[in-house]
Amino acid sequence: MTARLAELEEISQDPALWNDQAKAQTILREKSKIEGLLAKFAKITAEYDDNITLHEMAESESDSATLAEVEKAIFATEKNIKKFEIESLLTGEADSNNAFVEIHSGAGGTESCDWAEMLMRMYLRWSEQQGYKAELVDELRGEEAGIKSATLKITGINAYGWLKAESGVHRLVRISPFDSNAKRHTSFASIWVYPEVDDSIEVKYEEKDLRIDTYRASGSGGQHVNKTDSAIRITHIPTNIVVSSQTSRSQHANRAEAYKMLKARLYELELRKREAAAAATEAAKTDNSWGNQIRSYVLHPYQMVKDLRTGYETSDTGGVLDGDLTGFMSAWLSGIRVE
């Protein structure tokens, strides 16, 4: 990694590099990512060494209070080391990019809409815990409760690299809060994650292949938003990809955001064509049903969240729904199968 950084340093100092803006941006982005990884590694290593030294001192002095505090700090550092190990694997073409997260409720009416909103909150909380910025780009509320669909934009280094582990169908089993007979219900919702792309990546499409619709925003965006056709929906006819944006009061701003999302979706589609997992990914996207689920969240008759791809599971359902997803993501990204 240090050798590659030295190579990039030499390339970046060549004035001729800036004759090709796209190449220059790619080089600087890779250089910045490696510098960030090395800085993080140095910080984690220093923290670990300091804690070990402090632990040895406290142990020699039989300082039980300090020992307990240091052991807690060492445990936290070890978790950061494992997370760093996973981040070092995020070397895909778009892994370091920001991400869009689409959430769609499955069949089941109010139950599934409520479940979709629970998942939206889960990803908002996860983003907050990672220090990422989360923005609600589009939302379609359910008729009684919850959401039929929503799109989040998650901004931060490696946002897509981490979140791509979440694409697929998520299943919930619980006692329904909407059922007066307190019966157990099963609900489904799908998550679809794709990377934001910048201007250095060329994505081709024909304007004649686009259908652009305007409509009134459905969210609580103020009087202006609700009274004008400021929301934008773009359909790419050849692929049937649909994107929409309604969070801004400006139709122009929503149009720009929708075009950005379309470009990201088309780019992500091309990435999937290059990967062996394209067929399985497409199946997970198109069918919100039992057979294509990637994770099961059981709140009754017992507490368990289990990823069906890796076997990773936990009984801390409250923690997971509050954003503690790193264990599930790490298991999938590292290819670990828990038997």
Side-chain angles (χ1 to χ4, degrees):
M1 189 177 290
T2 52
R4 177 57 178 167
L5 180 60
E7 180 183 354
L8 292 172
E9 286 277 9
E10 184 176 348
I11 295 173
S12 65
Q13 292 173 8
D14 182 0
L17 173 65
W18 293 98
N19 294 332
D20 186 339
Q21 291 285 332
K23 181 180 179 182
Q25 291 296 331
T26 300
I27 293 296
L28 292 179
R29 188 163 50 245
E30 183 182 357
K31 178 173 172 288
S32 177
K33 182 176 181 179
I34 292 176
E35 287 174 338
L37 284 171
L38 291 175
K40 186 174 289 187
F41 177 75
K43 180 181 178 182
I44 291 174
T45 301
E47 285 180 356
Y48 189 80
D49 289 343
D50 289 346
N51 285 326
I52 290 298
T53 300
L54 188 56
H55 186 276
E56 291 174 350
M57 292 173 58
E59 196 171 43
S60 64
E61 297 174 4
S62 300
D63 186 344
S64 57
T66 302
L67 274 173
E69 185 178 337
V70 173
E71 285 173 358
K72 184 178 180 180
I74 291 174
F75 178 73
T77 302
E78 287 177 341
K79 286 183 67 176
N80 287 333
I81 290 173
K82 290 178 181 177
K83 182 180 177 182
F84 176 80
E85 289 175 349
I86 298 298
E87 286 185 331
S88 67
L89 299 176
L90 301 180
T91 56
E93 188 173 0
D95 281 351
S96 62
N97 293 23
N98 303 330
F100 290 103
V101 180
E102 283 188 13
I103 304 166
H104 296 275
S105 62
T110 302
E111 278 291 332
S112 291
C113 288
D114 186 56
W115 173 222
E117 187 167 43
M118 290 170 65
L119 287 173
M120 181 172 73
R121 178 187 178 278
M122 182 177 76
Y123 291 117
L124 288 172
R125 293 287 294 120
W126 177 84
S127 300
E128 180 184 332
Q129 292 165 17
Q130 307 310 307
Y132 291 159
K133 176 185 175 183
E135 176 186 358
L136 181 62
V137 176
D138 185 53
E139 181 183 57
L140 178 61
R141 302 296 304 178
E143 294 176 2
E144 296 181 23
I147 57 172
K148 291 183 178 179
S149 64
T151 302
L152 302 173
K153 180 180 178 181
I154 311 300
T155 302
I157 297 175
N158 291 329
Y160 175 67
W162 283 103
L163 283 164
K164 66 183 181 182
E166 297 300 294
S167 285
V169 175
H170 297 241
R171 167 180 172 248
L172 172 69
V173 179
R174 64 172 175 174
I175 297 295
S176 171
F178 305 100
D179 188 337
S180 59
N181 295 318
K183 291 184 178 180
R184 189 171 62 181
H185 285 247
T186 299
S187 306
F188 297 94
S190 69
I191 303 298
W192 191 242
V193 181
Y194 49 98
E196 181 183 36
V197 295
D198 56 33
D199 292 336
S200 67
I201 298 175
E202 184 178 4
V203 178
K204 296 181 179 180
Y205 57 84
E206 300 287 340
E207 287 290 336
K208 64 181 178 63
D209 291 333
L210 306 181
R211 185 175 71 245
I212 301 176
D213 301 304
T214 60
Y215 61 99
R216 293 187 181 182
S218 61
S220 53
Q223 292 183 355
H224 178 74
V225 171
N226 292 325
K227 291 185 177 181
T228 63
D229 293 341
S230 59
I232 296 292
R233 180 185 298 110
I234 301 177
T235 303
H236 184 250
I237 298 170
T239 59
N240 200 34
I241 288 175
V242 180
V243 296
S244 56
S245 177
Q246 62 169 305
T247 53
S248 175
R249 295 189 176 196
S250 163
Q251 186 184 109
H252 177 75
N254 284 328
R255 185 183 295 266
E257 186 68 22
Y259 267 105
K260 186 181 294 185
M261 293 166 65
L262 174 65
K263 184 178 178 181
R265 285 288 299 272
L266 291 172
Y267 176 67
E268 190 269 347
L269 180 63
E270 181 59 32
L271 284 181
R272 285 192 292 115
K273 287 179 180 178
R274 303 177 201 171
E275 298 173 356
T281 306
E282 183 64 21
K285 175 188 175 184
T286 55
D287 188 4
N288 289 7
S289 65
W290 189 284
N292 293 295
Q293 59 182 304
I294 65 165
R295 193 173 301 148
S296 182
Y297 305 70
V298 180
L299 305 185
H300 183 84
Y302 54 89
Q303 302 278 315
M304 182 66 67
V305 181
K306 181 172 183 177
D307 196 292
L308 305 180
R309 301 163 300 177
T310 64
Y312 184 92
E313 64 181 40
T314 177
S315 59
D316 183 17
T317 55
V320 172
L321 293 174
D322 202 36
D324 187 6
L325 297 169
T326 302
F328 290 97
M329 294 176 176
S330 297
W332 185 81
L333 289 168
S334 61
I336 294 174
R337 173 70 197 181
V338 180
E339 300 296 343

